[in-house]
Amino acid sequence: MIPPTIVDKALGSFPRELQTNQFNLSAPQQTTDVKFGDWETFKFAPIRESTVSRAMTRRYFADLDKYAESDVVIVGAGSSGLSAAYVLAKNRPELKIAIIEASVSPGGGCWLGGQLFSAMVLRKPAQYFLDELEIEYEDEGDYVVVKHAALFMSTLLAKVLAFPNVKLFNATCVEDLITRKDESGQIRVAGVVTNWTLVTMHHDDHSCMDPNTINAPVILSTTGHDGPFGAFSAKRAVAIGGLEKLGGMRGLDMNVAEDHIVKGTREVVPGLVIGGMELSEVDGSNRMGPTFGAMALSGVKAAETVLNIYEARRKQNEYN
C-alpha cells in the first residue's frame, strides 16, 4: 500500500476550495424581466443567426492562433490524458495546454465500466485522486467503487475544461509528429500535425486535404491500445526511427498490468511522453480490463514526467 504522502507528492499541492451556490427553482428567479415559471410571457432575447456563427468561429480561430505554439500537447482525452491535464493545469497555470481528441465526445472508454456495466472500480491507492476531485465512492477494502464511470469522467472533464490555460480540440486527429534531429542524429518530437477527424477517416476516398500543425516542446500521448486511432504516437515513433519496435499488448493480468502502466509511464523519445494503455503497446505489457486506477495514476505520473523534462525541451525548441 502506498502511503498518502507519496501520492500527495506526486499530485503536488491541491488547496481545497469549495464554493456553494444555492439555487431554488421553486422561488421566482429573474432573467431580464421574466420570472421562471411565467411561461405565458416567456421569450428569449433576440439574435441573428450570423451572431451565433461569429460567436463560435471568432473564439475558435482565436484559440487556433493562441495554441499554435503550445507548451504541452496532450493527445487523447481519455482518463489518463485528462488526469494529466488536471494535474498540469492546476500546478502550472502559466503553461498553455492543448488537448487533441479524435472523437466528438472526449472521455475515451471511461463513460462506462467493463462490458457496459456502469460502476467504476479503482484499486487503492487511486482513491486519493478521487478525493482530490471530490468524487464519492464505496470503500471495499483493497479497492473502491464509483457508482458510475460517467460520474468520474464528467467531473474530471468539467474541472479540466474550467482551467483558463487548457483548450480541448475535439473531433480532431493527430496525423503525424513534428520532428527535429540533434547533432548526433537523434530524433526529437517538437509538435503534432492535425486534421479534422472526418478528413483523416477519408484520405483514401477523396483528394488529399493538407493538415494543420501545433508546435510544443513536450507531447504527451495517451491514445490507448492499438485500434483505428489507438497507439498512434507509439506506432509513428517506430516509423520515424524514434523507437526500434513495439512490444505489442499482452493478455489480461490486472495485478501485473496496472503496476507496469503507472511505473512505466515515461518519456520514450525526446519530447514524447507516453502514458495509459498506449504504453502497453510500447513495452509489451499486459492489458488490465475494467479497472481504472492505473489510468488515473498514469496520468499523474505523466504530468510529473512532463514537468521534469519541460525546461530542457523548451530550451531546445528555442533554437530549433
Side-chain angles (χ1 to χ4, degrees):
M1 187 69 69
I2 302 177
T5 52
I6 295 178
V7 178
D8 288 344
K9 182 179 179 181
L11 291 174
S13 176
F14 291 116
R16 300 189 179 277
E17 298 176 356
L18 181 61
Q19 297 179 355
T20 302
N21 295 315
Q22 295 182 349
F23 185 61
N24 182 5
L25 275 176
S26 63
Q29 302 293 325
Q30 294 292 334
T31 172
T32 63
D33 60 345
V34 179
K35 296 178 180 179
F36 281 117
D38 188 5
W39 299 112
E40 292 297 324
T41 59
F42 175 85
K43 187 178 182 180
F44 282 108
I47 198 167
R48 287 183 65 81
E49 290 78 7
S50 59
T51 301
V52 177
S53 180
R54 286 170 172 163
M56 294 186 298
T57 57
R58 181 169 59 247
R59 288 164 175 79
Y60 192 85
F61 284 107
D63 285 334
L64 283 177
D65 180 75
K66 177 179 179 180
Y67 287 90
E69 281 283 350
S70 292
D71 295 303
V72 181
V73 172
I74 298 175
V75 188
S79 50
S80 182
L82 290 174
S83 295
Y86 178 87
V87 175
L88 286 169
K90 187 163 188 179
N91 286 276
R92 293 291 297 273
E94 77 280 8
L95 297 181
K96 287 191 294 184
I97 303 167
I99 306 174
I100 312 297
E101 169 55 45
S103 177
V104 171
S105 57
C110 195
W111 288 112
L112 286 166
Q115 198 175 317
L116 304 183
F117 304 138
S118 57
M120 183 181 192
V121 177
L122 300 94
R123 288 199 291 160
K124 292 183 176 180
Q127 83 277 11
Y128 294 121
F129 192 62
L130 297 178
D131 291 340
E132 161 59 26
L133 297 176
E134 298 180 327
I135 296 175
E136 293 185 357
Y137 53 82
E138 299 174 52
D139 193 326
E140 298 287 354
D142 290 334
Y143 65 95
V144 301
V145 182
V146 178
K147 68 178 182 180
H148 203 299
L151 175 60
F152 169 81
M153 180 47 62
S154 59
T155 303
L156 175 59
L157 183 60
K159 288 179 180 288
V160 168
L161 294 182
F163 287 114
N165 57 327
V166 173
K167 172 60 184 179
L168 168 67
F169 296 96
N170 49 326
T172 305
C173 272
V174 170
E175 289 192 338
D176 206 347
L177 302 173
I178 298 174
T179 60
R180 303 283 190 265
K181 281 188 177 181
D182 63 18
E183 294 80 1
S184 65
Q186 184 181 32
I187 291 287
R188 173 170 54 86
V189 176
V192 294
V193 179
T194 65
N195 216 327
W196 308 123
T197 299
L198 289 176
V199 172
T200 301
M201 292 171 63
H202 290 279
H203 276 317
D204 294 334
D205 56 37
H206 68 69
S207 59
C208 178
M209 181 183 291
D210 281 333
N212 201 0
T213 59
I214 300 176
N215 284 99
V218 181
I219 308 302
L220 167 58
S221 190
T222 60
T223 65
H225 55 71
D226 197 6
F229 296 110
F232 173 82
S233 298
K235 290 182 285 189
R236 193 69 185 122
V238 173
I240 63 178
L243 290 174
E244 181 179 350
K245 64 179 181 178
L246 295 183
M249 184 173 63
R250 301 292 193 264
L252 192 150
D253 186 334
M254 291 181 181
N255 289 297
V256 172
E258 289 209 279
D259 288 351
H260 180 92
I261 292 299
V262 175
K263 292 179 180 179
T265 298
R266 66 192 186 279
E267 184 183 37
V268 299
V269 176
L272 177 63
V273 177
I274 290 184
M277 287 308 296
E278 186 170 1
L279 192 68
S280 68
E281 300 288 356
V282 175
D283 293 341
S285 60
N286 297 87
R287 66 186 300 171
M288 65 193 62
T291 177
F292 291 86
M295 294 296 93
L297 295 191
S298 175
V300 174
K301 173 96 180 291
E304 185 179 79
T305 304
V306 168
L307 295 180
N308 285 338
I309 66 171
Y310 173 73
E311 286 301 326
R313 300 300 173 226
R314 183 186 62 79
K315 290 179 180 178
Q316 288 176 312
N317 272 25
E318 286 180 352
Y319 303 105
N320 190 359

